[in-house]
Amino acid sequence: MSGTALTPLQLPSLPIEASCIVPDRFADLSERQVAGLPLLVGNEQVELGTLFRVRGAGSEEIRIEGDVARVKYIGAGMTRGSILVEGSVGMHAGARLRGGTFEVRGDADAWAGAEMSGGLLRIGGNAGDHAGAVYPGSRRGMTGGLLLVDGRAGSELGAVLRRGVIAVRGRAGDYAGFNMIAGSIILCGGAERRSGAGMKRGSIMSFEPLDLPPTFRYACTYRPEYAAVFFRRLSERYGFTLPDRHADGLFTRYSGDLTELGKGEVLIWTATSA
């Protein structure tokens, strides 16, 4: 077996914080040392081995074999390697991710990929509120990297996004792209209310109608030449496929938010180009 495998045992109902589950901490440790890494259960510190069966010495490849929906901060701050969760994961998964690959095959709770600056976070199910967003008191959300959500996303997706790309196959909640500074958000299933509110720059692209604030203005209807190339890269490199008609279609462009710089753009798919 390559890498380190963790199998959750009987997890308590108390909050669990597991910021130690990150390739940067696991690398070069023995199996016993991995099992001795500290976790927080409520306000009590326990060893990782009391909640997880550990198989394999420390490695930059970590596989979690089961559901860890109550475990927070897995992969937070990772800079290299890979994590695969074969189930759902708790809050702050991949928060401040700087490098490497983190794949969740189930759902992710709130703040997944918050303030990430690099790497890839792939969520196979739904993402909770504030995915790729800014933490309260900070000035910037994501500053780089790629966040892919195969299901739905909650509210304030990509809030205060500075750089990087977020793509959601399902529908997003309210205030997608709230206060965006730059970067790109792709909404395959559209979003709920007030998308792009407060955005300064950046781009939101949606394949379904959006409820925009009244401070956005119609600019034009056109076919963005870069779209087909960008979508093909998502498909070929990451397996994130989109219907062909969307890659070769017309988009209505709106400029805003005019209460801010007004240099952001929202592109809404309109029709297959002639």
Side-chain angles (χ1 to χ4, degrees):
M1 180 191 70
S2 61
T4 308
L6 304 178
T7 304
L9 303 174
Q10 188 71 31
L11 299 180
S13 58
L14 292 171
I16 304 168
E17 296 185 9
S19 58
C20 69
I21 302 180
V22 62
D24 307 69
R25 293 288 301 275
F26 276 36
D28 302 322
L29 297 182
S30 67
E31 184 175 289
R32 183 175 179 179
Q33 287 172 320
V34 170
L37 289 172
L39 302 177
L40 275 179
V41 178
N43 60 1
E44 180 183 357
Q45 183 171 296
V46 303
E47 293 185 349
L48 186 146
T50 63
L51 299 183
F52 292 87
R53 178 190 176 197
V54 180
R55 289 182 294 133
S59 167
E60 291 189 10
E61 298 179 7
I62 300 173
R63 186 174 72 256
I64 300 177
E65 301 171 330
D67 191 274
V68 284
R70 293 203 305 275
V71 184
K72 305 176 183 179
Y73 293 103
I74 291 176
M78 67 182 282
T79 67
R80 54 186 168 139
S82 65
I83 298 177
L84 170 63
V85 178
E86 297 176 345
S88 295
V89 70
M91 297 172 66
H92 309 285
R96 296 187 171 125
L97 179 74
R98 290 186 285 162
T101 301
F102 189 169
E103 180 181 357
V104 180
R105 292 189 173 165
D107 299 333
D109 208 335
W111 302 104
E115 297 188 5
M116 61 186 287
S117 59
L120 168 66
L121 175 58
R122 179 73 179 265
I123 300 170
N126 301 321
D129 294 341
H130 313 295
V134 64
Y135 281 120
S138 295
R139 297 178 60 187
R140 299 175 179 175
M142 274 181 66
T143 57
L146 178 60
L147 171 57
L148 301 177
V149 181
D150 287 305
R152 301 183 304 276
S155 64
E156 295 195 20
L157 171 77
V160 200
L161 177 68
R162 179 64 180 86
R163 291 189 184 91
V165 176
I166 300 174
V168 180
R169 199 186 303 277
R171 192 167 181 83
D174 295 340
Y175 288 94
F178 177 65
N179 282 353
M180 276 180 65
I181 302 171
S184 299
I185 296 177
I186 301 171
L187 303 171
C188 301
E192 301 297 336
R193 303 173 302 162
R194 310 287 288 181
S195 298
M199 72 185 296
K200 297 175 177 63
R201 295 186 180 88
S203 178
I204 297 176
M205 178 179 287
S206 177
F207 300 137
E208 297 292 339
L210 292 179
D211 172 28
L212 298 178
T215 46
F216 279 77
R217 295 291 182 265
Y218 170 79
C220 63
T221 298
Y222 78 118
R223 180 179 181 270
E225 296 295 334
Y226 70 87
V229 177
F230 185 66
F231 297 159
R232 185 165 59 250
R233 178 176 175 83
L234 284 178
S235 175
E236 292 176 354
R237 185 164 182 177
Y238 303 104
F240 196 89
T241 57
L242 303 170
D244 292 339
R245 67 191 185 112
H246 290 150
D248 188 31
L250 296 173
F251 288 80
T252 301
R253 184 182 189 274
Y254 296 89
S255 299
D257 189 327
L258 299 179
T259 61
E260 297 292 339
L261 295 177
K263 296 182 178 180
E265 67 172 10
V266 175
L267 303 174
I268 301 176
W269 188 83
T270 302
T272 303
S273 58

